[in-house]
Amino acid sequence: MLVTNRFVVDVDVADEFTERAHAALAALAARPGYLRGQLVRALDDPRHWCLVTEWESVGTYRRALGGFDVKITAVPLLAESLDEPSAYEALATAAPGGDVVPAASDRAAGPYR
């Protein structure tokens, strides 16, 4: 599962944002189910940032958000991200030079689930 939180950060507070984002990334990285993460900034516009994390499953990500360190450092930062969908399920993968391997969706077929 991939989580992308996008931010628009004024250049004059970028250093403070970066420190907070590093702390958030460290707190998330310490949680079970975390696979990898990055703090990235747009090349075309330095005000646009993204915190990208990858998780074993939606459950591990949701449980990670309940961890004390995550609640203190990451959740306040994530609350400042743009209000848009941020969690994505992988529906196909491809290794370098490899074939595309489709995956089934974990989404429920109906609203009752």
Side-chain angles (χ1 to χ4, degrees):
M1 188 191 114
L2 183 70
V3 179
T4 61
N5 295 98
R6 295 187 323 124
F7 302 86
V8 178
V9 179
D10 289 331
V11 175
D12 60 332
V13 295
D15 290 341
E16 186 264 338
F17 170 80
T18 301
E19 287 179 29
R20 293 174 53 223
H22 287 177
L25 187 57
L28 291 166
R31 301 302 301 167
Y34 174 91
L35 299 176
R36 66 190 56 84
Q38 294 180 308
L39 175 65
V40 298
R41 181 175 56 193
L43 295 172
D44 297 334
D45 186 342
R47 296 174 307 126
H48 291 258
W49 295 74
C50 190
L51 182 63
V52 181
T53 55
E54 190 172 347
W55 298 86
E56 288 177 359
S57 67
V58 67
T60 58
Y61 174 64
R62 289 182 176 162
R63 284 189 292 279
L65 293 177
F68 179 76
D69 287 346
V70 172
K71 285 182 182 179
I72 298 301
T73 58
V75 171
L77 182 80
L78 299 178
E80 296 174 19
S81 66
L82 298 177
D83 186 17
E84 62 187 20
S86 62
Y88 297 86
E89 64 177 337
L91 297 177
T93 58
D99 294 332
V100 173
V101 179
S105 174
D106 287 334
R107 291 182 51 122
Y112 47 83
R113 216 173 128 193

XYZ file of all heavy atoms in Angstrom:
854
model
N 0.845 -1.168 0.000
C 0.000 0.000 0.000
C 0.895 1.237 0.000
O 1.885 1.295 0.715
C -0.879 -0.010 1.243
C -1.911 1.079 1.214
S -2.707 1.244 2.806
C -2.135 2.842 3.212
N 0.535 2.207 -0.809
C 1.310 3.435 -0.950
C 0.509 4.594 -0.372
O -0.687 4.725 -0.640
C 1.601 3.697 -2.430
C 2.464 4.903 -2.757
C 3.897 4.645 -2.307
C 2.410 5.187 -4.241
N 1.174 5.430 0.429
C 0.541 6.619 1.001
C 1.332 7.831 0.539
O 2.548 7.895 0.719
C 0.500 6.563 2.546
C -0.135 7.818 3.115
C -0.240 5.313 3.012
N 0.640 8.778 -0.070
C 1.270 10.014 -0.523
C 0.550 11.195 0.118
O -0.636 11.388 -0.095
C 1.212 10.161 -2.056
O -0.145 10.185 -2.471
C 1.920 9.017 -2.745
N 1.270 11.939 0.906
C 0.734 13.159 1.514
C 1.445 14.335 0.880
O 2.662 14.463 0.984
C 0.959 13.166 3.029
C 0.198 12.060 3.711
O 0.767 11.008 4.002
N -1.073 12.269 3.942
N 0.671 15.182 0.181
C 1.241 16.333 -0.513
C 1.079 17.591 0.328
O 0.059 17.786 0.991
C 0.590 16.522 -1.882
C 0.890 15.366 -2.814
C 0.403 15.568 -4.242
N -0.859 16.265 -4.351
C -1.038 17.388 -5.072
N -0.036 17.946 -5.712
N -2.232 17.938 -5.139
N 2.092 18.455 0.250
C 2.114 19.693 1.016
C 2.514 20.846 0.106
O 3.304 20.666 -0.819
C 3.157 19.619 2.139
C 2.959 18.484 3.096
C 3.477 17.229 2.832
C 2.251 18.680 4.281
C 3.297 16.180 3.713
C 2.065 17.641 5.170
C 2.589 16.386 4.883
N 1.999 22.020 0.403
C 2.479 23.253 -0.204
C 3.065 24.064 0.940
O 2.366 24.411 1.901
C 1.356 24.028 -0.923
C 1.899 25.329 -1.494
C 0.732 23.174 -2.022
N 4.378 24.330 0.853
C 5.131 24.926 1.962
C 5.797 26.206 1.473
O 6.543 26.179 0.487
C 6.207 23.939 2.476
C 7.001 24.546 3.610
C 5.569 22.616 2.883
N 5.543 27.302 2.170
C 6.224 28.547 1.817
C 7.732 28.373 1.982
O 8.197 27.724 2.931
C 5.743 29.704 2.700
C 4.323 30.127 2.365
O 3.912 29.968 1.199
O 3.626 30.620 3.281
N 8.489 28.946 1.066
C 9.943 28.793 1.064
C 10.566 29.276 2.377
O 11.511 28.658 2.875
C 10.554 29.536 -0.153
C 12.064 29.502 -0.109
C 10.029 28.929 -1.449
N 10.001 30.304 2.980
C 10.594 30.845 4.216
C 10.412 29.934 5.428
O 11.070 30.138 6.448
C 10.072 32.255 4.509
C 8.563 32.305 4.683
O 7.866 31.462 4.107
O 8.103 33.210 5.402
N 9.563 28.923 5.357
C 9.397 27.971 6.472
C 9.806 26.551 6.061
O 9.525 25.589 6.781
C 7.953 27.986 7.034
C 7.628 29.324 7.655
C 6.949 27.600 5.965
N 10.491 26.423 4.933
C 10.870 25.099 4.427
C 11.810 24.367 5.381
O 11.693 23.148 5.546
C 11.501 25.222 3.045
N 12.737 25.078 6.012
C 13.660 24.413 6.939
C 12.914 23.820 8.130
O 13.179 22.684 8.530
C 14.736 25.380 7.432
C 15.725 25.751 6.344
O 15.813 25.017 5.334
O 16.426 26.766 6.509
N 11.989 24.563 8.687
C 11.193 24.075 9.825
C 10.317 22.907 9.385
O 10.200 21.897 10.090
C 10.341 25.225 10.384
C 9.580 24.875 11.649
C 8.147 24.444 11.351
O 7.621 24.803 10.283
O 7.567 23.723 12.187
N 9.713 23.001 8.216
C 8.907 21.910 7.688
C 9.753 20.651 7.512
O 9.332 19.544 7.858
C 8.261 22.305 6.352
C 7.613 21.147 5.657
C 6.352 20.710 6.037
C 8.267 20.469 4.624
C 5.757 19.618 5.409
C 7.680 19.385 3.996
C 6.419 18.961 4.398
N 10.958 20.811 6.966
C 11.845 19.671 6.728
C 12.178 18.958 8.037
O 12.152 17.718 8.093
C 13.132 20.134 6.020
O 12.783 20.761 4.782
C 14.069 18.977 5.738
N 12.473 19.692 9.079
C 12.763 19.080 10.386
C 11.565 18.280 10.884
O 11.724 17.149 11.366
C 13.129 20.155 11.409
C 14.489 20.762 11.206
C 14.787 21.836 12.249
O 14.255 21.744 13.378
O 15.551 22.753 11.920
N 10.379 18.866 10.787
C 9.167 18.180 11.234
C 8.891 16.953 10.375
O 8.476 15.903 10.880
C 7.985 19.135 11.204
C 8.121 20.256 12.229
C 7.018 21.305 12.114
N 5.708 20.710 12.154
C 4.689 21.053 11.352
N 4.847 22.006 10.469
N 3.520 20.463 11.454
N 9.120 17.051 9.080
C 8.888 15.919 8.178
C 9.874 14.789 8.448
O 9.506 13.613 8.396
C 8.967 16.379 6.726
N 11.135 15.136 8.758
C 12.120 14.108 9.105
C 11.691 13.368 10.370
O 11.793 12.130 10.443
C 13.493 14.731 9.320
C 14.155 15.161 8.054
N 15.379 15.799 8.052
C 13.775 15.085 6.757
C 15.724 16.076 6.811
N 14.761 15.652 6.000
N 11.213 14.101 11.361
C 10.744 13.478 12.603
C 9.538 12.583 12.337
O 9.434 11.471 12.887
C 10.405 14.545 13.636
N 8.625 13.036 11.495
C 7.446 12.236 11.151
C 7.860 10.959 10.420
O 7.362 9.871 10.733
C 6.482 13.055 10.293
N 8.774 11.090 9.478
C 9.232 9.930 8.720
C 9.924 8.925 9.636
O 9.702 7.717 9.525
C 10.158 10.378 7.585
C 10.589 9.314 6.586
C 9.394 8.636 5.927
C 11.498 9.938 5.530
N 10.729 9.404 10.573
C 11.397 8.511 11.525
C 10.383 7.779 12.399
O 10.521 6.583 12.654
C 12.375 9.301 12.391
N 9.358 8.483 12.859
C 8.328 7.857 13.698
C 7.564 6.799 12.904
O 7.295 5.700 13.411
C 7.370 8.908 14.244
N 7.221 7.095 11.669
C 6.523 6.119 10.832
C 7.420 4.915 10.532
O 6.966 3.768 10.562
C 6.054 6.775 9.536
C 4.933 7.808 9.695
C 4.792 8.640 8.427
C 3.621 7.138 10.067
N 8.692 5.175 10.263
C 9.637 4.104 9.925
C 9.830 3.119 11.070
O 10.192 1.960 10.835
C 10.974 4.706 9.513
N 9.576 3.535 12.287
C 9.744 2.662 13.454
C 8.561 1.730 13.678
O 8.631 0.847 14.534
C 9.976 3.523 14.696
N 7.490 1.903 12.927
C 6.273 1.122 13.146
C 6.300 -0.192 12.366
O 6.833 -0.245 11.248
C 5.036 1.931 12.735
C 4.871 3.246 13.469
C 4.796 3.102 14.963
N 3.671 2.248 15.322
C 3.479 1.734 16.527
N 4.324 1.966 17.487
N 2.426 0.976 16.758
N 5.701 -1.251 12.932
C 5.605 -2.520 12.216
C 4.803 -2.346 10.919
O 3.831 -1.599 10.874
C 4.832 -3.422 13.191
C 5.015 -2.801 14.533
C 5.142 -1.318 14.286
N 5.247 -3.014 9.880
C 4.559 -2.963 8.601
C 5.074 -1.899 7.653
O 4.724 -1.894 6.471
N 5.923 -0.990 8.152
C 6.524 0.044 7.310
C 7.544 -0.617 6.391
O 8.372 -1.410 6.840
C 7.209 1.080 8.203
C 8.006 2.132 7.473
C 7.412 3.325 7.092
C 9.350 1.946 7.198
C 8.143 4.314 6.442
C 10.089 2.923 6.551
C 9.484 4.098 6.176
O 10.206 5.064 5.534
N 7.496 -0.310 5.101
C 8.447 -0.875 4.147
C 9.506 0.127 3.704
O 10.680 -0.198 3.630
C 7.713 -1.415 2.916
C 6.710 -2.540 3.181
C 5.980 -2.916 1.896
C 7.407 -3.742 3.792
N 9.088 1.349 3.389
C 10.037 2.391 2.960
C 9.318 3.726 2.903
O 8.091 3.776 2.892
C 10.668 2.049 1.613
C 9.722 2.023 0.441
C 10.337 1.440 -0.829
N 10.869 0.108 -0.683
C 10.150 -1.021 -0.765
N 8.868 -0.961 -1.004
N 10.709 -2.194 -0.622
N 10.106 4.792 2.842
C 9.508 6.112 2.743
C 10.503 7.140 2.254
O 11.718 6.928 2.327
N 9.977 8.254 1.763
C 10.806 9.342 1.256
C 10.104 10.667 1.483
O 8.867 10.741 1.416
C 11.039 9.226 -0.254
C 11.833 8.061 -0.703
C 11.976 8.075 -2.223
O 10.991 8.184 -2.954
N 13.201 7.978 -2.701
N 10.898 11.694 1.703
C 10.417 13.064 1.651
C 10.958 13.623 0.348
O 12.172 13.614 0.121
C 10.936 13.871 2.843
C 10.581 15.357 2.830
C 9.074 15.556 2.955
C 11.306 16.086 3.950
N 10.057 14.078 -0.524
C 10.474 14.565 -1.832
C 9.938 15.979 -2.062
O 8.946 16.385 -1.448
C 10.006 13.618 -2.968
C 10.632 12.248 -2.806
C 8.495 13.502 -3.009
N 10.639 16.706 -2.928
C 10.220 18.066 -3.274
C 10.181 18.188 -4.792
O 11.028 17.628 -5.491
C 11.207 19.077 -2.688
C 10.837 20.516 -2.976
C 11.747 21.494 -2.282
N 13.133 21.245 -2.627
C 14.165 21.788 -1.982
N 13.958 22.590 -0.963
N 15.389 21.516 -2.349
N 9.215 18.920 -5.302
C 9.064 19.104 -6.748
C 10.247 19.886 -7.314
O 10.692 20.871 -6.720
C 7.759 19.838 -7.045
N 10.727 19.455 -8.439
C 11.829 20.158 -9.098
C 11.366 21.465 -9.717
O 12.115 22.444 -9.757
C 12.441 19.270 -10.185
C 13.133 17.992 -9.683
C 13.518 17.115 -10.862
C 14.340 18.352 -8.843
N 10.125 21.497 -10.187
C 9.610 22.671 -10.891
C 9.140 23.777 -9.966
O 9.088 24.937 -10.372
C 8.453 22.278 -11.813
C 8.902 21.317 -12.900
O 10.091 21.334 -13.254
O 8.051 20.561 -13.387
N 8.766 23.424 -8.745
C 8.257 24.413 -7.797
C 8.638 23.982 -6.387
O 8.044 23.051 -5.841
C 6.736 24.543 -7.924
C 6.159 25.654 -7.068
O 6.827 26.117 -6.121
O 5.014 26.062 -7.343
N 9.638 24.616 -5.775
C 10.140 24.169 -4.470
C 9.146 24.314 -3.323
O 9.440 23.905 -2.211
C 11.379 25.035 -4.247
C 11.171 26.229 -5.088
C 10.359 25.782 -6.273
N 7.957 24.847 -3.571
C 6.940 24.918 -2.514
C 6.172 23.609 -2.379
O 5.503 23.394 -1.378
C 5.955 26.056 -2.801
C 6.570 27.445 -2.780
C 5.574 28.521 -3.207
N 4.996 28.167 -4.495
C 3.677 28.085 -4.742
N 2.799 28.338 -3.807
N 3.233 27.752 -5.939
N 6.277 22.741 -3.368
C 5.502 21.497 -3.376
C 6.348 20.319 -2.881
O 7.390 20.012 -3.456
C 4.956 21.227 -4.778
C 3.902 22.204 -5.168
N 2.562 21.887 -5.133
C 3.979 23.500 -5.553
C 1.868 22.957 -5.496
N 2.710 23.942 -5.752
N 5.868 19.700 -1.821
C 6.544 18.577 -1.169
C 5.596 17.388 -1.099
O 4.384 17.546 -1.157
C 6.919 18.942 0.264
C 7.929 20.028 0.401
C 7.735 21.370 0.197
C 9.287 19.884 0.798
N 8.896 22.061 0.443
C 9.863 21.169 0.820
C 10.071 18.798 1.150
C 11.176 21.389 1.180
C 11.394 19.018 1.511
C 11.935 20.303 1.514
N 6.168 16.210 -0.903
C 5.359 15.010 -0.727
C 6.089 14.064 0.231
O 7.310 13.873 0.123
C 5.157 14.335 -2.083
S 3.949 13.007 -2.054
N 5.347 13.531 1.176
C 5.845 12.483 2.057
C 5.229 11.185 1.542
O 3.998 11.035 1.529
C 5.436 12.745 3.505
C 5.937 11.740 4.533
C 7.463 11.751 4.609
C 5.350 12.051 5.900
N 6.072 10.283 1.056
C 5.619 9.035 0.439
C 6.072 7.878 1.317
O 7.265 7.770 1.622
C 6.208 8.864 -0.981
C 5.715 7.587 -1.625
C 5.901 10.071 -1.843
N 5.130 7.037 1.729
C 5.480 5.850 2.507
C 4.816 4.632 1.894
O 3.758 4.730 1.276
C 5.061 5.981 3.986
O 3.670 6.267 4.069
C 5.854 7.074 4.690
N 5.459 3.489 2.069
C 4.903 2.235 1.583
C 4.762 1.280 2.758
O 5.651 1.191 3.618
C 5.803 1.635 0.509
C 5.167 0.476 -0.205
C 5.970 -0.001 -1.400
O 6.900 0.707 -1.841
O 5.662 -1.094 -1.888
N 3.631 0.558 2.775
C 3.254 -0.293 3.908
C 2.886 -1.689 3.436
O 2.448 -1.871 2.301
C 2.068 0.347 4.637
C 2.434 1.683 5.185
C 2.392 2.876 4.529
C 2.952 1.956 6.472
N 2.856 3.877 5.345
C 3.196 3.337 6.549
C 3.214 1.161 7.574
C 3.715 3.940 7.689
C 3.730 1.766 8.719
C 3.976 3.141 8.762
N 3.018 -2.659 4.348
C 2.630 -4.037 4.035
C 1.149 -4.133 3.688
O 0.766 -4.898 2.808
C 2.919 -4.960 5.213
C 4.382 -5.222 5.441
C 4.632 -6.084 6.668
O 3.662 -6.481 7.365
O 5.805 -6.353 6.934
N 0.320 -3.373 4.404
C -1.124 -3.448 4.199
C -1.781 -2.191 4.747
O -1.164 -1.419 5.482
C -1.707 -4.672 4.911
O -1.596 -4.518 6.310
N -3.045 -2.019 4.423
C -3.802 -0.887 4.963
C -3.895 -1.003 6.489
O -3.859 -0.002 7.192
C -5.187 -0.755 4.291
C -6.090 -1.921 4.640
C -5.844 0.563 4.645
N -3.990 -2.221 6.985
C -4.081 -2.425 8.430
C -2.833 -1.982 9.167
O -2.923 -1.341 10.220
N -1.661 -2.291 8.620
C -0.432 -1.873 9.300
C -0.300 -0.348 9.288
O 0.165 0.238 10.258
C 0.824 -2.519 8.683
O 0.917 -2.200 7.292
C 0.817 -4.024 8.873
N -0.741 0.280 8.194
C -0.690 1.737 8.145
C -1.639 2.344 9.177
O -1.258 3.235 9.933
C -1.037 2.245 6.743
C -1.147 3.746 6.674
C -0.045 4.551 6.916
C -2.364 4.354 6.392
C -0.148 5.935 6.872
C -2.466 5.733 6.334
C -1.359 6.515 6.572
O -1.474 7.883 6.538
N -2.849 1.854 9.235
C -3.816 2.400 10.190
C -3.371 2.185 11.628
O -3.522 3.062 12.474
C -5.196 1.796 9.940
C -5.805 2.327 8.661
C -7.188 1.786 8.430
N -7.762 2.393 7.235
C -8.775 1.898 6.584
N -9.369 0.791 7.016
N -9.236 2.500 5.512
N -2.803 1.012 11.914
C -2.288 0.771 13.271
C -1.106 1.679 13.573
O -0.949 2.152 14.692
C -1.920 -0.699 13.440
C -3.136 -1.596 13.617
C -2.753 -3.021 13.993
N -2.071 -3.730 12.920
C -2.676 -4.319 11.887
N -3.993 -4.287 11.774
N -1.963 -4.945 10.962
N -0.281 1.950 12.573
C 0.869 2.839 12.773
C 0.424 4.230 13.205
O 1.067 4.865 14.042
C 1.706 2.926 11.497
N -0.687 4.696 12.658
C -1.180 6.031 13.015
C -1.585 6.121 14.481
O -1.658 7.215 15.033
C -2.359 6.415 12.117
C -2.032 6.625 10.646
C -3.299 6.928 9.865
C -1.001 7.721 10.463
N -1.815 4.978 15.124
C -2.196 4.963 16.529
C -1.023 4.934 17.486
O -1.208 5.077 18.699
N 0.193 4.760 16.975
C 1.376 4.733 17.835
C 1.622 6.095 18.471
O 1.418 7.140 17.849
N 2.090 6.094 19.724
C 2.275 7.346 20.469
C 3.198 8.324 19.732
O 2.851 9.493 19.557
C 2.814 7.059 21.872
C 3.048 8.304 22.674
C 1.973 8.981 23.234
C 4.326 8.825 22.838
C 2.173 10.143 23.961
C 4.530 9.984 23.555
C 3.448 10.650 24.127
N 4.384 7.855 19.314
C 5.327 8.751 18.628
C 4.739 9.289 17.327
O 4.988 10.439 16.956
C 6.648 8.035 18.340
C 7.482 7.831 19.584
O 7.178 8.464 20.620
O 8.442 7.031 19.531
N 3.974 8.462 16.637
C 3.350 8.894 15.390
C 2.287 9.954 15.684
O 2.187 10.960 14.976
C 2.761 7.690 14.624
C 1.944 8.143 13.428
C 3.875 6.745 14.187
N 1.501 9.744 16.741
C 0.480 10.732 17.108
C 1.111 12.080 17.455
O 0.531 13.132 17.173
C -0.336 10.246 18.303
C -1.332 9.179 17.963
C -2.122 8.811 19.216
C -3.103 7.707 18.951
N -3.855 7.342 20.158
N 2.283 12.048 18.073
C 2.944 13.288 18.504
C 3.657 13.994 17.350
O 3.622 15.216 17.260
C 3.950 12.983 19.640
C 3.220 12.426 20.856
C 4.765 14.211 20.010
C 2.164 13.337 21.437
N 4.316 13.233 16.475
C 5.144 13.867 15.439
C 4.527 13.844 14.043
O 4.570 14.849 13.337
C 6.539 13.208 15.366
O 6.378 11.820 15.091
C 7.312 13.400 16.643
N 3.987 12.707 13.634
C 3.533 12.576 12.245
C 2.114 13.083 12.027
O 1.852 13.778 11.037
C 3.642 11.120 11.791
N 1.189 12.730 12.910
C -0.218 13.085 12.682
C -0.425 14.600 12.549
O -1.137 15.039 11.639
C -1.132 12.443 13.747
C -2.548 12.972 13.658
C -1.121 10.910 13.583
N 0.190 15.422 13.404
C 0.007 16.875 13.210
C 0.528 17.353 11.844
O -0.094 18.204 11.214
C 0.810 17.499 14.346
C 0.857 16.450 15.398
C 0.933 15.143 14.641
N 1.627 16.783 11.387
C 2.152 17.158 10.076
C 1.217 16.672 8.972
O 0.894 17.423 8.048
C 3.549 16.567 9.871
C 4.191 16.942 8.541
C 4.773 18.347 8.617
C 5.239 15.947 8.131
N 0.760 15.427 9.065
C -0.130 14.877 8.044
C -1.428 15.660 7.954
O -2.015 15.781 6.874
C -0.409 13.404 8.322
C 0.810 12.482 8.310
C 0.398 11.053 8.645
C 1.560 12.556 7.003
N -1.865 16.226 9.069
C -3.090 17.034 9.074
C -2.931 18.308 8.250
O -3.926 18.907 7.837
C -3.485 17.372 10.499
N -1.704 18.714 7.985
C -1.436 19.905 7.185
C -1.338 19.593 5.688
O -1.197 20.506 4.878
C -0.131 20.558 7.642
C -0.179 21.064 9.064
C 1.176 21.571 9.536
O 2.047 21.858 8.687
O 1.352 21.668 10.754
N -1.406 18.316 5.334
C -1.292 17.962 3.920
C -2.562 18.380 3.175
O -3.593 18.676 3.779
C -1.033 16.461 3.755
O -2.130 15.701 4.186
N -2.460 18.413 1.854
C -3.611 18.778 1.031
C -4.744 17.799 1.274
O -4.516 16.592 1.447
C -3.220 18.793 -0.440
C -2.144 19.805 -0.837
C -1.800 19.664 -2.317
C -2.595 21.215 -0.528
N -5.965 18.300 1.288
C -7.141 17.475 1.535
C -7.525 16.754 0.245
O -8.282 17.270 -0.586
C -8.293 18.347 2.040
C -9.507 17.545 2.450
O -9.370 16.321 2.655
O -10.590 18.135 2.571
N -6.956 15.562 0.076
C -7.189 14.756 -1.105
C -6.892 13.305 -0.755
O -6.254 13.034 0.262
C -6.303 15.221 -2.264
C -4.817 15.094 -1.970
C -3.946 15.705 -3.048
O -4.449 16.541 -3.822
O -2.768 15.347 -3.116
N -7.341 12.356 -1.565
C -7.021 10.957 -1.277
C -5.509 10.763 -1.174
O -4.741 11.343 -1.954
C -7.591 10.201 -2.478
C -8.678 11.089 -2.992
C -8.185 12.496 -2.751
N -5.084 9.959 -0.204
C -3.651 9.768 -0.008
C -3.223 8.304 0.035
O -2.039 8.020 -0.076
C -3.193 10.466 1.275
O -3.851 9.902 2.398
N -4.137 7.368 0.212
C -3.789 5.950 0.305
C -4.176 5.237 -0.984
O -5.302 5.370 -1.468
C -4.494 5.321 1.500
N -3.231 4.484 -1.528
C -3.431 3.813 -2.807
C -3.046 2.346 -2.690
O -2.042 2.009 -2.062
C -2.567 4.455 -3.903
C -2.928 5.892 -4.151
C -2.367 6.917 -3.400
C -3.848 6.217 -5.133
C -2.709 8.241 -3.625
C -4.187 7.550 -5.372
C -3.613 8.543 -4.609
O -3.956 9.852 -4.832
N -3.834 1.480 -3.316
C -3.492 0.069 -3.362
C -2.788 -0.221 -4.683
O -3.102 0.372 -5.715
C -4.733 -0.804 -3.202
C -5.755 -0.665 -4.309
C -6.931 -1.596 -4.143
O -6.812 -2.622 -3.465
O -7.993 -1.279 -4.704
N -1.836 -1.132 -4.643
C -1.097 -1.514 -5.847
C -1.936 -2.483 -6.668
O -2.358 -3.522 -6.160
C 0.237 -2.140 -5.471
N -2.201 -2.148 -7.914
C -2.988 -3.003 -8.801
C -2.154 -3.641 -9.903
O -2.637 -4.495 -10.628
C -4.154 -2.218 -9.396
C -5.167 -1.715 -8.373
C -6.246 -0.891 -9.050
C -5.777 -2.872 -7.595
N -0.904 -3.229 -10.033
C 0.019 -3.845 -10.973
C 1.435 -3.447 -10.588
O 1.658 -2.350 -10.079
C -0.277 -3.409 -12.411
N 2.388 -4.357 -10.814
C 3.797 -4.075 -10.554
C 4.618 -4.545 -11.748
O 4.160 -5.375 -12.543
C 4.296 -4.797 -9.285
O 4.084 -6.199 -9.440
C 3.568 -4.304 -8.040
N 5.833 -4.034 -11.852
C 6.767 -4.486 -12.877
C 8.181 -4.255 -12.372
O 8.518 -3.152 -11.950
C 6.545 -3.741 -14.187
N 8.978 -5.288 -12.375
C 10.391 -5.165 -12.038
C 11.122 -4.575 -13.240
O 10.609 -4.631 -14.369
C 10.957 -6.532 -11.677
N 12.315 -4.008 -13.042
C 13.060 -3.476 -14.180
C 13.222 -4.540 -15.277
O 13.702 -5.639 -15.014
C 14.406 -3.083 -13.585
C 14.103 -2.813 -12.145
C 13.028 -3.801 -11.784
N 12.775 -4.232 -16.458
C 12.855 -5.152 -17.581
C 11.877 -6.313 -17.510
O 11.883 -7.181 -18.375
N 11.020 -6.322 -16.495
C 10.096 -7.437 -16.300
C 8.717 -7.168 -16.858
O 8.405 -6.086 -17.340
N 7.902 -8.181 -16.769
C 6.522 -8.084 -17.215
C 5.672 -7.379 -16.168
O 5.998 -7.374 -14.970
C 5.939 -9.480 -17.457
C 6.597 -10.204 -18.621
O 7.075 -9.512 -19.548
O 6.641 -11.440 -18.589
N 4.565 -6.832 -16.608
C 3.592 -6.240 -15.701
C 2.805 -7.379 -15.059
O 2.297 -8.267 -15.747
C 2.645 -5.279 -16.449
C 1.529 -4.799 -15.534
C 3.428 -4.103 -17.010
N 2.731 -7.330 -13.715
C 2.016 -8.364 -12.962
C 0.815 -7.707 -12.295
O 0.968 -6.921 -11.350
C 2.935 -9.003 -11.895
C 2.180 -10.068 -11.106
C 4.189 -9.572 -12.544
N -0.398 -7.999 -12.794
C -1.591 -7.405 -12.177
C -1.873 -8.029 -10.809
O -1.478 -9.159 -10.535
C -2.716 -7.720 -13.151
C -2.133 -8.507 -14.266
C -0.699 -8.782 -13.969
N -2.562 -7.283 -9.953
C -2.962 -7.766 -8.630
C -4.439 -7.479 -8.436
O -4.977 -6.507 -8.970
C -2.142 -7.076 -7.549
N -5.092 -8.313 -7.667
C -6.506 -8.119 -7.372
C -6.670 -6.980 -6.361
O -5.811 -6.739 -5.524
C -7.101 -9.403 -6.807
N -7.775 -6.299 -6.444
C -8.082 -5.214 -5.519
C -8.534 -5.770 -4.184
O -9.196 -6.808 -4.113
C -9.185 -4.332 -6.098
O -9.583 -3.364 -5.156
N -8.195 -5.077 -3.110
C -8.665 -5.421 -1.771
C -9.962 -4.701 -1.436
O -10.518 -4.902 -0.368
C -7.618 -5.072 -0.715
C -6.448 -6.030 -0.741
O -6.628 -7.178 -1.176
O -5.348 -5.630 -0.337
N -10.419 -3.828 -2.312
C -11.642 -3.081 -2.055
C -12.846 -4.005 -2.031
O -12.932 -4.945 -2.810
C -11.851 -2.003 -3.110
C -10.834 -0.884 -3.002
C -11.117 0.155 -4.031
N -12.517 0.557 -3.976
C -12.931 1.783 -3.775
N -12.056 2.738 -3.635
N -14.205 2.079 -3.740
N -13.782 -3.698 -1.164
C -15.009 -4.478 -1.080
C -15.856 -4.224 -2.322
O -15.889 -3.119 -2.856
C -15.791 -4.089 0.173
N -16.568 -5.262 -2.758
C -17.414 -5.124 -3.945
C -18.654 -4.304 -3.667
O -19.210 -3.671 -4.559
C -17.811 -6.508 -4.451
N -19.101 -4.289 -2.422
C -20.320 -3.546 -2.078
C -20.114 -2.693 -0.848
O -19.124 -2.837 -0.142
N -21.032 -1.782 -0.588
C -20.896 -0.870 0.534
C -21.135 -1.541 1.894
O -20.878 -0.933 2.919
C -21.974 0.183 0.262
C -22.984 -0.552 -0.553
C -22.225 -1.537 -1.380
N -21.599 -2.759 1.894
C -21.924 -3.459 3.125
C -20.705 -4.005 3.845
O -20.791 -4.477 4.945
C -22.888 -4.617 2.816
C -22.452 -5.453 1.646
C -21.516 -6.461 1.804
C -22.933 -5.195 0.374
C -21.082 -7.206 0.726
C -22.518 -5.936 -0.714
C -21.588 -6.944 -0.529
O -21.163 -7.669 -1.603
N -19.550 -3.972 3.233
C -18.360 -4.564 3.812
C -17.425 -3.595 4.428
O -17.188 -2.527 4.149
C -17.606 -5.316 2.735
C -16.965 -6.556 3.273
C -16.383 -7.358 2.191
N -15.020 -7.601 2.622
C -14.088 -8.062 1.859
N -14.324 -8.316 0.621
N -12.897 -8.264 2.325
